[in-house]
Amino acid sequence: MSDQQAAQIQAALARGDAGAAEVLCRRALNGRPNDANLHFQLGRVQRARGDRVSAETALRRAVALDARLAGAWRELAVLALETGRIDTADEASAQLRSLMPDAANSAFLRGHVLGLLQRFDEAEREFAALRLVAGVPAARLGLVSDALARGAHAAARYHAERMVEWQPELPAAWDALGQAAAAVQDWPASTAALRRASELAPGDLPIWQRRDAALDAARRGGDELVGVRERLLQLQPDSAIALEQLGLAQIGAHQTAAAVRTFRQAAQRWPQRLLPRWIRFHTPSLPCFESEAQRAQWLQDFDEGLAEFETAALDAESAQRILGSVPSFALAYQDGANLERHRRHARVVRRLLDAATGNAFGDIAPRPLRSGRRRIGLVSSCLHQHSVTRAWGEALLALPTEAFELYVFHTSARDDAMVQRFRARAERYVGGAHSFAAWTQWLREAELDVLIFLDLGLDVVNQCLAALRHAPVQVSTWAHPVTSGAATIDWFVSAQASEPAEAATHYSELLHRLPRLGGCFLEPSQPPLPRRSPDGNTRLVCAQNLYKLLPQHDALFGQILARAPDATLDFLTAATPEQAAGFEQRLAPVLREFAVDPLRVRVHSTLSVDAYRRCVADADLLLDTLGFSGGITTLDALWQERAWLTLPGECMRGRQSSAMLLQLGLDKLVASSAADYVERAVALAESPEQLRALADEIATHKHVLFGDRDICTAFADFLHNVRATTPPS
């Protein structure tokens, strides 16, 4: 190719006229068909025009004519990378590297290809010599984005990790590592990297936003998420969404009073926004309320809030934000079944879902269940080691493989030994942070016979999924012992021993009772702790979360302490220090009314597991909450051989403790009324001998509460025999 021809071709390319450049190349090739450089230039021009097939043909012809034509090998390697043909890129970049052993650009290209092939040791040998070459670190950061775009997540992480080693004070390197880790849902690594990036770049809004997204995807709430969103609000002081996101983080961190203040501010600044109005009637500032009057007002606000959202005009964005905010968790802890409130709430959730998705998702049409091996789906956010899996894990994992396929949809990124057991048992397991649309698609593709929503009421994702019908039979369970209220949930699986005679009226679902306690509980691996030497006082303990400590029951504790002057009372509230202080303040007038020294009462915020076990082990008597009793908490205390006094409530959630005690034959620990509860508590507090005898009796019989394999069989029988409540058309 002559210098004049080359100049003309370059001039055409420079002015963006690739068509003219191709004409010039072909005209020159007519006279010199075996000119390797002309074929090389033709390949470049055709690549510029987007004709990659012809470009590769021309470049292959060029290197066939002159195997030492480095530019053609480079162009061929880049073209192969653009078309995702890594094998061709490997061949071409290796040839280029051999022809240009001292060129930085050939080493960089070769390292890039080797990284995509996950030949990381070889790749790093190429990059090692380039570390101090101007422009290379910035270009290597670009390889992270390139690899992520290709779905080459291992290569993206490799380059990001090396960049962090190269330039540990560069925020962009840590940011890239955070993005690479997020691509494979390695949320601990992602959040750690983005934490460091935001420390190095405190004013970089996109980095803070990515850190927030990683924490959210990892379900990592608490003080860190609150701090991140406080910073995001500082960077966007006029953003309604930033203020609302801060409020949601405060709710997740159990900073409920602060959250209520935040959403009140949001409502004042942007009164047209719907999310603050939704939060207002879902979230009490103190989970246990400051007074009975405040609780009554909250229930009135709940009814009025539902009425507003039953008719409010809903745009898709607002509906999406509401659905991703909070479930109706606090309602489960109020007295009574509240069946109509739950039904109304479920209808509003479905209305919000339709608005959020533009009615893109409907209920599946009725269809017959399989006559042979049934396909069971399981949706839960709590498949890790949790009270939910302690209650239900064994019955689910024991489903016989010859009778049931098990499809597990774990709407959480948590992973531990229990999750691994479910993963091993499942024919299909999907876990992590995914969109509602993705979960819905997977549920529909599974073509399930029965879908079990294990713990409805604890998680907004599951609440939304339960608003639709994905299977002919859909089931909720006593893992969260309250009705769903949803027309799409057919059955509520409960426990015979915990349900009152009129229990069917407490549920929107059909009620199915499993025998006895309704769960196969494994014996705890840790033996009971020895009780420390008594100090002369009777140690009373109420080991229940703050939501269960309603104001109308405060007087019972005051009466017990007034009539048992040598007793102390510890509340283990599993609450934040601020919330615990709010409860302590609520108790103060009751203690004054009954002339009880407040030093006899200690209100504990969240304790470590060891400290909690120690408090329970040192108790003489545990006092149950009324209306919503202990469940797994009661089971743990009985394993510790501690006496537990209860008063059965109206609904199943208030009767689990009594079911356990009656199964042990300890009816003396089951009161018949509030007055009887006080009488029995006082009598036991003043009778150390009786408490010791009860401890001995519990130690002798407690094993009957554990390992009830008949529950597993009964649950499998239910799943095998259950029929759709709506027959196929």
Side-chain angles (χ1 to χ4, degrees):
M1 180 173 59
S2 69
D3 291 343
Q4 183 180 4
Q5 288 171 323
Q8 289 173 336
I9 293 169
Q10 291 301 324
L13 286 173
R15 64 176 181 267
D17 192 348
E22 182 170 351
V23 169
L24 289 169
C25 286
R26 291 192 181 280
R27 186 180 299 161
L29 279 168
N30 286 335
R32 303 179 65 179
N34 293 322
D35 188 320
N37 272 306
L38 279 173
H39 285 286
F40 165 43
Q41 292 299 331
L42 178 60
R44 288 182 63 213
V45 169
Q46 289 171 327
R47 175 173 163 256
R49 297 192 68 186
D51 186 356
R52 289 169 169 166
V53 174
S54 298
E56 181 169 353
T57 300
L59 292 168
R60 287 287 185 188
R61 178 64 176 156
V63 296
L65 290 167
D66 183 358
R68 298 190 59 79
L69 192 57
W73 285 115
R74 180 187 298 111
E75 195 75 13
L76 190 58
V78 172
L79 177 63
L81 286 173
E82 289 176 347
T83 55
R85 295 177 56 198
I86 307 303
D87 54 344
T88 299
D90 182 25
E91 172 201 9
S93 64
Q95 290 287 352
L96 173 66
R97 192 75 181 100
S98 67
L99 293 169
M100 304 181 68
D102 299 322
N105 58 3
S106 69
F108 188 90
L109 182 59
R110 181 62 178 153
H112 179 23
V113 173
L114 290 168
L116 293 173
L117 291 167
Q118 299 188 35
R119 290 156 59 181
F120 298 133
D121 290 342
E122 296 174 69
E124 200 54 32
R125 284 196 289 272
E126 300 291 348
F127 284 111
L130 306 177
R131 184 167 180 172
L132 301 179
V133 176
V136 167
R140 191 170 188 185
L141 267 180
L143 296 184
V144 178
S145 300
D146 179 85
L148 288 175
R150 296 173 184 276
H153 299 144
R157 190 160 187 169
Y158 154 68
H159 288 299
E161 288 173 344
R162 299 295 79 73
M163 281 304 303
V164 163
E165 293 175 0
W166 281 17
Q167 297 186 324
E169 299 305 312
L170 183 66
W174 289 101
D175 184 22
L177 180 56
Q179 293 181 63
V184 293
Q185 297 195 7
D186 184 351
W187 302 119
S190 180
T191 54
L194 291 166
R195 186 182 303 120
R196 181 58 180 151
S198 60
E199 290 168 353
L200 293 168
D204 192 315
L205 177 61
I207 287 177
W208 283 95
Q209 289 172 327
R210 283 189 283 272
R211 182 179 172 188
D212 173 74
L215 287 168
D216 195 44
R219 306 287 182 93
R220 283 278 304 278
D223 294 341
E224 181 177 4
L225 185 58
V226 171
V228 167
R229 292 188 176 173
E230 286 174 341
R231 181 59 179 157
L232 284 168
L233 183 60
Q234 291 170 359
L235 294 171
Q236 310 163 94
D238 296 322
S239 169
I241 290 178
L243 185 60
E244 290 174 353
Q245 287 294 93
L246 172 59
L248 293 176
Q250 290 166 332
I251 290 173
H254 307 292
Q255 299 175 15
T256 45
V260 169
R261 291 192 296 269
T262 296
F263 279 106
R264 187 179 297 123
Q265 179 186 352
Q268 291 168 350
R269 292 185 65 184
W270 297 283
Q272 75 282 6
R273 293 185 68 82
L274 294 175
L275 180 60
R277 282 137 67 181
W278 180 265
I279 297 298
R280 178 184 65 84
F281 72 91
H282 277 76
T283 309
S285 57
L286 184 66
C288 58
F289 302 98
E290 296 171 6
S291 65
E292 177 55 23
Q294 186 194 62
R295 191 181 79 90
Q297 182 63 53
W298 183 82
L299 286 169
Q300 181 179 332
D301 291 343
F302 198 96
D303 292 339
E304 292 173 357
L306 287 176
E308 176 187 358
F309 279 86
E310 283 167 341
T311 58
L314 301 171
D315 62 279
E317 181 184 355
S318 295
Q320 288 166 9
R321 291 183 58 73
I322 289 167
L323 289 171
S325 61
V326 292
S328 57
F329 184 75
L331 182 60
Y333 290 86
Q334 308 313 307
D335 286 342
N338 286 302
L339 179 56
E340 187 53 31
R341 284 190 177 108
H342 285 290
R343 280 183 166 139
R344 290 178 66 195
H345 191 276
R347 289 194 293 267
V348 168
V349 168
R350 178 60 182 262
R351 186 169 187 264
L352 286 162
L353 185 63
D354 290 342
T357 62
N359 292 293
F361 301 98
D363 297 333
I364 66 161
R367 65 169 185 258
L369 280 70
R370 289 174 175 81
S371 57
R373 191 175 182 228
R374 284 192 169 178
R375 184 171 295 168
I376 309 300
L378 173 64
V379 173
S380 174
S381 62
C382 299
L383 289 186
H384 55 285
Q385 189 62 39
H386 187 280
S387 59
V388 167
T389 48
R390 289 185 62 190
W392 278 94
E394 299 312 306
L396 288 161
L397 292 167
L399 290 175
T401 56
E402 67 274 11
F404 302 101
E405 298 177 78
L406 184 62
Y407 282 50
V408 175
F409 304 92
H410 182 201
T411 57
S412 170
R414 296 284 292 271
D415 197 358
D416 62 10
M418 180 59 77
V419 173
Q420 290 161 19
R421 289 182 66 195
F422 276 101
R423 189 182 291 118
R425 168 61 181 86
E427 270 76 12
R428 185 179 186 199
Y429 173 92
V430 183
H434 303 288
S435 68
F436 169 81
W439 287 118
T440 300
Q441 179 181 344
W442 290 324
L443 287 170
R444 302 292 171 88
E445 289 174 349
E447 296 186 343
L448 303 165
D449 295 305
V450 181
L451 179 56
I452 303 166
F453 288 95
L454 188 58
D455 38 53
L456 279 180
L458 301 183
D459 180 87
V460 290
V461 175
N462 299 348
Q463 176 178 264
C464 292
L465 291 173
L468 296 174
R469 179 171 295 281
H470 310 279
V473 176
Q474 300 196 154
V475 176
S476 183
T477 81
W478 70 262
H480 188 55
V482 64
T483 183
S484 68
T488 51
I489 305 299
D490 307 300
W491 291 88
F492 187 93
V493 179
S494 188
Q496 178 67 45
S498 300
E499 290 287 7
E502 69 282 5
T505 64
H506 297 165
Y507 300 97
S508 59
E509 307 88 352
L510 295 171
L511 179 62
H512 180 80
R513 299 171 174 88
L514 295 178
R516 294 176 291 282
L517 302 179
C520 178
F521 310 102
L522 295 181
E523 290 188 358
S525 58
Q526 295 176 305
L529 291 173
R531 186 175 185 277
R532 289 185 292 202
S533 300
D535 57 9
N537 294 321
T538 301
R539 295 173 178 164
L540 306 177
V541 170
C542 181
Q544 295 292 281
N545 76 55
L546 209 56
Y547 281 92
K548 299 181 181 182
L549 291 161
L550 298 180
Q552 62 265 41
H553 304 142
D554 290 353
L556 299 181
F557 297 117
Q559 292 174 49
I560 291 167
L561 290 170
R563 293 178 53 190
D566 293 328
T568 61
L569 176 55
D570 287 79
F571 289 95
L572 313 184
T573 65
T576 66
E578 180 186 26
Q579 291 173 336
F583 173 60
E584 195 166 14
Q585 185 175 355
R586 192 189 82 191
L587 282 176
V590 174
L591 298 180
R592 287 195 299 271
E593 178 186 351
F594 290 98
V596 174
D597 183 349
L599 294 178
R600 293 170 56 199
V601 178
R602 293 181 293 271
V603 177
H604 301 266
S605 55
T606 300
L607 299 173
S608 68
V609 173
D610 289 342
Y612 171 83
R613 291 186 71 237
R614 172 46 61 193
C615 282
V616 171
D618 288 341
D620 293 294
L621 175 65
L622 287 110
L623 300 177
D624 207 355
T625 41
L626 285 64
F628 202 134
S629 70
I632 298 299
T633 310
T634 309
L635 199 68
D636 285 341
L638 294 172
W639 176 256
Q640 291 273 16
E641 299 162 8
R642 301 292 92 204
W644 184 289
L645 179 66
T646 192
L647 172 61
E650 176 186 348
C651 300
M652 187 268 187
R653 61 184 180 275
R655 305 172 68 88
Q656 290 176 290
S657 296
S658 61
M660 296 176 195
L661 293 165
L662 292 174
Q663 189 161 325
L664 293 176
L666 295 172
D667 56 324
K668 59 179 71 71
L669 291 173
V670 180
S672 59
S673 66
D676 187 39
Y677 180 85
V678 173
E679 291 295 334
R680 292 180 189 237
V682 171
L684 289 167
E686 295 185 333
S687 178
E689 299 82 4
Q690 189 175 2
L691 288 171
R692 284 194 293 271
L694 284 168
D696 291 341
E697 193 170 351
I698 293 169
T700 300
H701 299 293
K702 67 180 183 181
H703 298 281
V704 304
L705 301 176
F706 300 93
D708 190 347
R709 305 302 297 183
D710 288 346
I711 301 298
C712 303
T713 302
F715 184 54
D717 288 344
F718 166 75
L719 294 177
H720 179 74
N721 295 318
V722 69
R723 295 289 181 266
T725 55
T726 303
S729 55

